[in-house]
Amino acid sequence: MSTFSAPKGTYDLLPPESADFLAVREAISAPLRRAGYGYVETPGFEHVELFARGVGESTDIVTKEMYTLTTKGGDELALRPEGTASVLRAALQANLHRGALPVKLWYSGSYYRYERPQAGRYRHFSQVGAEALGAEDPALDAELVILAADAYRALGLRQVRLLLNSLGDAECRPVYRAALQDFLRALDLDEDTRARIEINPLRVLDDKRESVRAQLTDAPLMRDHLCEGCKSYHEQVRELLLAAGVEFEDDPRLVRGLDYYTRTTFEFVHDGLGSQSAVGGGGRYDGLAEMIGGPALPSVGWALGVDRTVLALRAEGVELPRADATEVFAVPVGEDARRTLFHTVTELRRQGVAADFAYGGKGLKNAMKSANRSGAALALVLGERDLAERVAQLKDLATGEQVAVPLENLTTEVLAKLNRPTAR
Ligand code: AMP
């Protein structure tokens, strides 16, 4: 134990569990890479103003949850609380939108929000995200939703539900907003919520308190106010999802915590996670580029939470295969054996075998304990007598069965025992 521990609301990823985080990132990004999304990486911090404008001045993220700092040079920066604003900023800065559209990008990284920590809600968390910039096409919205659904399915998750809604556009949303405000102003609400009605009334629909929810049963719904364009767009997205076999639930009350969404809005939830049930979400954000000083650039994207996806795997009891688990563990006895086996381990690794070695000059008994603990299928044991006879003992750690193999073709024998195709 050191004097220090990880700050509140954060945790360390350590083996063996950390392998699940890598596997989740891989499973989410693989379908994106196959669909033409290119990798983008942006700084961990940006100018505060980017998030204030891009996420929304009135959102919880901007008003309460950002880690902000003033640099020695006087810059006002914030640790990134989400990915979309940064990715869009980077794409605009590099003029990617002047080339072929849509620009399709994916990213993976750490995000920071000063939230009240609880199970599934942390101050430092990890997301994989995707953004498709510069096209207004229901097939693009559908593509992104399908890619996310396929990623969850590839991971073996069965209990992820997809909630779908349309938030309208610049034509129909203002009319709906006004109708909703009229309705909300007549309710019995606290001062903060009343203030929210004037700034972002849609967010009131997302209030989790029972006292508020009970009053919202008859609230007007965006669904009943969609203009013809939005209605037809949404219908096309729904049809494409149905045709792809992606199940969803229409949720006319689904709004999201960020201000910039238009039209298609969705969230993936998992019922085994308690109150922090959202594993991922996203939608269309046609106005965001202009909000951060760029041109009109209709876009759609999502971010999936890696931490909560791992929790969902645990909740469903899904065990992911360990990609790089040790297959062969080498146990030398004596100096000459050490040199020989160290070389064999290097060779095996170069042949693509996951191999490890008993370091630290352990005795045979302790070294065999390490071999068993490593989870390897095979131990390669080399003692002094073996050396004299130019053989090594290849031991199947599950059955205890042991065979002597000639040192000359040790690598080939191990590969054969592992059912590997012939050495490269
Ligand atoms: P959001 O940008 O809020 O829509 O978040 C997208 C996804 O990131 C959510 O569905 C969560 O899986 C994850 N996420 C957001 N905030 C946190 C947090 N504080 N701790 C862990 N995961 C989070």
Side-chain angles (χ1 to χ4, degrees):
M1 184 78 183
S2 89
T3 322
F4 302 102
S5 48
K8 187 173 170 186
T10 72
Y11 61 100
D12 303 305
L13 297 184
L14 300 166
E17 290 79 18
S18 50
D20 288 339
F21 284 74
L22 290 180
V24 165
R25 291 189 186 114
E26 172 61 25
I28 299 175
S29 60
L32 292 168
R33 299 193 310 260
R34 285 196 292 269
Y37 288 73
Y39 179 66
V40 59
E41 198 166 312
T42 63
F45 50 81
E46 297 273 355
H47 291 285
V48 171
E49 196 53 26
L50 172 71
F51 300 119
R53 287 216 245 157
V55 179
E57 300 270 13
S58 73
T59 57
D60 282 352
I61 292 184
V62 168
T63 54
K64 301 185 199 151
E65 296 170 2
M66 272 205 295
Y67 283 87
T68 53
L69 61 121
T70 308
T71 65
K72 291 192 181 74
D75 287 337
E76 302 282 340
L77 303 178
L79 300 186
R80 57 185 181 188
E82 58 101 47
T84 305
S86 310
V87 168
L88 189 55
R89 193 265 312 134
L92 293 174
Q93 186 177 335
N95 280 322
L96 299 187
H97 60 292
R98 301 247 169 92
L101 297 176
V103 177
K104 303 209 282 188
L105 301 168
W106 76 274
Y107 57 89
S108 172
S110 293
Y111 297 85
Y112 308 86
R113 294 182 194 173
Y114 190 76
E115 295 196 83
R116 200 169 42 78
Q118 65 179 87
R121 187 163 71 192
Y122 311 106
R123 291 181 172 174
H124 165 269
F125 58 96
S126 159
Q127 291 182 337
V128 175
E131 317 289 347
L133 314 174
E136 205 172 353
D137 182 342
L140 196 54
D141 305 39
E143 165 176 293
L144 274 164
V145 174
I146 293 167
L147 291 170
D150 284 355
Y152 290 128
R153 201 171 44 188
L155 281 165
L157 287 171
R158 297 276 163 265
Q159 294 163 28
V160 176
R161 289 187 294 126
L162 166 60
L163 310 178
L164 185 68
N165 193 18
S166 171
L167 291 180
D169 65 3
E171 187 189 330
C172 54
R173 178 122 117 231
V175 183
Y176 167 66
R177 192 176 185 272
L180 180 63
Q181 281 177 321
D182 282 347
F183 172 86
L184 294 173
R185 285 186 193 118
L187 302 182
D188 176 21
L189 298 166
D190 59 279
E191 206 174 308
D192 275 359
T193 315
R194 301 196 76 80
R196 188 169 294 158
I197 296 173
E198 305 312 319
I199 307 163
N200 192 336
L202 266 72
R203 201 95 46 64
V204 180
L205 290 181
D206 202 23
D207 204 306
K208 301 282 184 285
R209 289 169 299 179
E210 202 34 60
S211 60
V212 179
R213 300 203 75 84
Q215 301 185 65
L216 295 174
T217 357
D218 296 326
L221 296 172
M222 186 68 235
R223 180 168 68 184
D224 303 321
H225 289 75
L226 290 179
C227 60
E228 281 312 311
C230 284
K231 233 187 250 172
S232 133
Y233 193 97
H234 196 55
E235 206 34 58
Q236 291 178 65
V237 174
R238 294 178 77 259
E239 277 167 18
L240 290 165
L241 294 181
L242 285 171
V246 171
E247 285 176 25
F248 58 86
E249 297 164 32
D250 290 306
D251 181 352
R253 285 167 185 275
L254 179 70
V255 294
R256 296 189 26 83
L258 318 181
D259 270 351
Y260 51 60
Y261 287 100
T262 49
R263 289 196 168 169
T264 314
T265 299
F266 51 89
E267 196 150 85
F268 291 93
V269 295
H270 192 281
D271 295 325
L273 297 186
S275 66
Q276 301 305 310
S277 63
V279 286
R284 180 157 277 285
Y285 49 91
D286 291 344
L288 180 58
E290 286 160 298
M291 281 160 78
I292 63 168
L297 198 68
S299 304
V300 55
W302 50 242
L304 310 188
V306 176
D307 310 72
R308 287 188 201 164
T309 303
V310 170
L311 291 174
L313 288 168
R314 305 229 167 100
E316 285 196 37
V318 177
E319 294 259 349
L320 296 179
R322 293 260 185 265
D324 306 313
T326 304
E327 297 166 284
V328 180
F329 198 95
V331 174
V333 183
E335 245 338 281
D336 293 342
R338 270 173 72 78
R339 258 193 304 277
T340 304
L341 274 197
F342 185 79
H343 180 67
T344 308
V345 163
T346 303
E347 270 204 351
L348 284 170
R349 289 175 181 163
R350 287 178 178 159
Q351 295 292 340
V353 174
D356 206 352
F357 187 79
Y359 289 103
K362 291 188 183 112
L364 180 62
K365 203 168 144 202
N366 270 335
M368 285 311 291
K369 250 192 219 161
S370 304
N372 280 309
R373 230 179 271 145
S374 76
L378 297 175
L380 203 48
V381 187
L382 186 60
E384 273 160 20
R385 194 186 316 151
D386 296 321
L387 252 187
E389 294 172 12
R390 305 300 299 156
V391 294
Q393 305 296 329
L394 189 56
K395 183 171 182 179
D396 185 318
L397 287 170
T399 62
E401 202 178 295
Q402 188 167 307
V403 287
V405 291
L407 283 186
E408 283 64 48
N409 40 21
L410 208 44
T411 310
T412 325
E413 291 284 344
V414 173
L415 287 168
K417 185 89 180 161
L418 289 169
N419 287 325
R420 287 296 165 86
T422 40
R424 267 173 274 151

